[in-house]
Amino acid sequence: MNIDTTSLIPATLIPGDGIGPEITAATVKALEALGAPFEWDVQQAGMTALEQSGDPLPEATLASIRRTKLALKGPLTTPSGGGFRSVNVRLREAFKLYANVRPALTIVPGRYEDIDIVLVRENIEGLYVAHEHYIPIGDDPHAVAISTGMNTREGCRRIARFAFEYAVKHGRRKITVVHKANILKALTGLFLDTARDVAREYEGRVAMDDRIVDACAMQLVLNPWQFDMLLCTNLFGDILSDELAGLVGGLGLAPGSNIGEEAAIFEAVHGSAPDIAGKGVANPVSQLLAAGLMLEHVGRDDLAARLKTAIAQTLNEDAVRTRDLGGDASTERFADALIERLS
Ligand code: NAI
Ligand code: MG
């Protein structure tokens, strides 16, 4: 994408719930020091929005993203069991954000070194369409729980093509398709078959193999270096991307992008971390790396590279780390140290 570097790019900023406002404030401060070209339109979503306006996904927030087609989003709390439907899922559906890209790259050498895997997750189909209902028996209204998953050939082809195009563009050589086609023969069999069809178009350029999800989860622990890119259905991608985060030091170091035809939303892989919210100790690096993906998306690879280098220097050379990485720095202290590296 060619961007006029002198003009500002309108972008929606959703601080989110829990640790969201803390890590987002740190990220915005660092982006200012970096000279990132975003002009923020701050909007609310999640519990924060519910408390303020009675709606977890206000129309003003949707309208803002419709206008900017670009957002940086903090994590949003979703009640488990009852309560409102996930705002994350609603946003992905509203803007057809069909591709969730979650890179896992070692920055802090730890249990594993030199991990460099990109997970591409189908983001709007599969079991997350969550067509669910209960069947009552006798006086138990919840005697049976039913959930229906849905994959379409069109949706499978779209995400497979996205993954292969990503591989070509980023010089990746192999895509491993993750499925459970031995059991969920229709739902994930269609995903696998369609990926195989698409792979034929890329023969000689990008290789493809496949793994059953449970075996893949184990292989990721035993020998993660055998993987280059993973292409996953919605649920498996959600689970394995947290596993990938674990391989590179935890959820504090894992960014993601949600890409669609109508918008792109960037966020950390992790959630709102209610256990540490408001304490000023959250690791802002996932959100910072998400902002880096956003810079790449708008064609500012130069700024993204500077940001990533400064993050690595702050963590490794300055040894400024938050609690989750064994340090004692606060969110703010990390941001200040990073800004020193950026200026
Ligand atoms: P979580 O990812 O919020 O937290 C899991 C563990 O990782 C916690 O111990 C937390 O303290 C730690 N952690 C997460 N991010 C961290 C950070 N930046 N720095 C240091 N430690 C960090 O997952 P959990 O607790 O299962 O979910 C909490 C809420 O977040 C739920 O309501 C869930 O629905 C929501 N959620 C939202 C997501 C989003 O908005 N994209 C993604 C995942 C969960
Ligand atoms: Mg998740």
Side-chain angles (χ1 to χ4, degrees):
M1 205 186 285
N2 287 321
I3 297 289
D4 175 5
T5 52
T6 59
S7 67
L8 289 177
I9 302 167
T12 306
L13 183 70
I14 302 171
D17 299 320
I19 60 170
E22 302 161 49
I23 59 173
T24 304
T27 301
V28 167
K29 233 164 65 170
L31 287 176
E32 263 165 36
L34 180 68
F38 300 119
E39 182 182 39
W40 299 114
D41 176 17
V42 180
Q43 296 290 339
Q44 301 300 334
M47 292 303 262
T48 316
L50 183 68
E51 281 153 21
Q52 282 178 11
S53 66
D55 184 353
L57 184 53
E59 178 50 36
T61 304
L62 289 166
S64 173
I65 302 172
R66 242 178 255 129
R67 180 174 68 82
T68 63
K69 303 186 186 340
L70 189 66
L72 181 65
K73 186 186 83 57
L76 306 175
T77 297
T78 309
S80 286
F84 59 81
R85 184 148 184 261
S86 164
V87 173
N88 291 309
V89 171
R90 283 177 62 197
L91 278 173
R92 289 167 198 159
E93 289 175 354
F95 296 101
K96 302 190 179 65
L97 306 173
Y98 65 89
N100 184 201
V101 184
R102 294 180 160 179
L105 181 73
T106 302
I107 306 175
V108 178
R111 200 165 297 162
Y112 296 89
E113 294 193 7
D114 302 323
I115 301 287
D116 180 7
I117 303 171
V118 175
L119 183 146
V120 173
R121 163 193 179 194
E122 201 294 317
N123 216 17
I124 40 186
E125 299 196 330
L127 281 160
Y128 282 31
V129 299
H131 290 161
E132 299 198 295
H133 63 278
Y134 294 105
I135 298 174
I137 298 178
D139 59 3
D140 183 357
H142 291 175
V144 181
I146 308 271
S147 184
T148 309
M150 182 191 75
N151 281 331
T152 64
R153 191 184 297 284
E154 194 200 339
C156 294
R157 189 176 288 134
R158 184 172 59 181
I159 192 66
R161 197 156 274 143
F162 178 94
F164 278 91
E165 283 299 318
Y166 182 101
V168 169
K169 187 166 169 224
H170 294 87
R172 301 243 161 207
R173 290 189 311 278
K174 189 180 76 178
I175 294 179
T176 301
V177 180
V178 182
H179 60 90
K180 188 79 188 176
N182 52 331
I183 306 294
L184 299 170
K185 290 175 195 286
L187 189 68
T188 74
L190 181 66
F191 190 81
L192 175 61
D193 286 346
T194 311
R196 281 195 179 123
D197 286 345
V198 172
R200 266 180 224 114
E201 298 168 28
Y202 293 85
E203 242 166 40
R205 291 187 287 163
V206 183
M208 186 209 119
D209 63 5
D210 70 278
R211 286 281 194 300
I212 293 175
V213 59
D214 35 1
C216 184
M218 182 200 64
Q219 286 293 332
L220 275 169
V221 173
L222 286 182
N223 176 15
W225 301 277
Q226 68 185 292
F227 297 109
D228 189 1
M229 282 181 69
L230 301 177
L231 172 58
C232 305
T233 56
N234 204 337
L235 173 63
F236 299 159
D238 191 6
I239 297 168
L240 292 189
S241 54
D242 268 40
E243 186 177 356
L244 287 188
L247 296 179
V248 297
L251 285 168
L253 299 171
S257 52
N258 300 280
I259 311 280
E261 280 146 27
E262 291 165 23
I265 300 182
F266 298 81
E267 63 180 342
V269 168
H270 62 73
S272 55
D275 52 333
I276 57 166
K279 296 187 179 154
V281 298
N283 188 348
V285 170
S286 298
Q287 190 76 337
L288 283 158
L289 291 172
L293 295 175
M294 185 163 162
L295 284 165
E296 286 167 5
H297 180 77
V298 299
R300 294 307 305 265
D301 297 56
D302 56 331
L303 293 179
R306 262 185 66 205
L307 179 62
K308 282 189 274 190
T309 303
I311 290 170
Q313 288 170 332
T314 307
L315 289 169
N316 295 320
E317 290 168 40
D318 306 337
V320 178
R321 296 180 183 186
T322 45
R323 228 164 58 174
D324 55 309
L325 298 176
D328 60 6
S330 65
T331 311
E332 231 179 323
R333 165 90 187 88
F334 183 88
D336 291 341
L338 175 65
I339 287 164
E340 237 167 82
R341 278 286 181 180
L342 285 170
S343 38

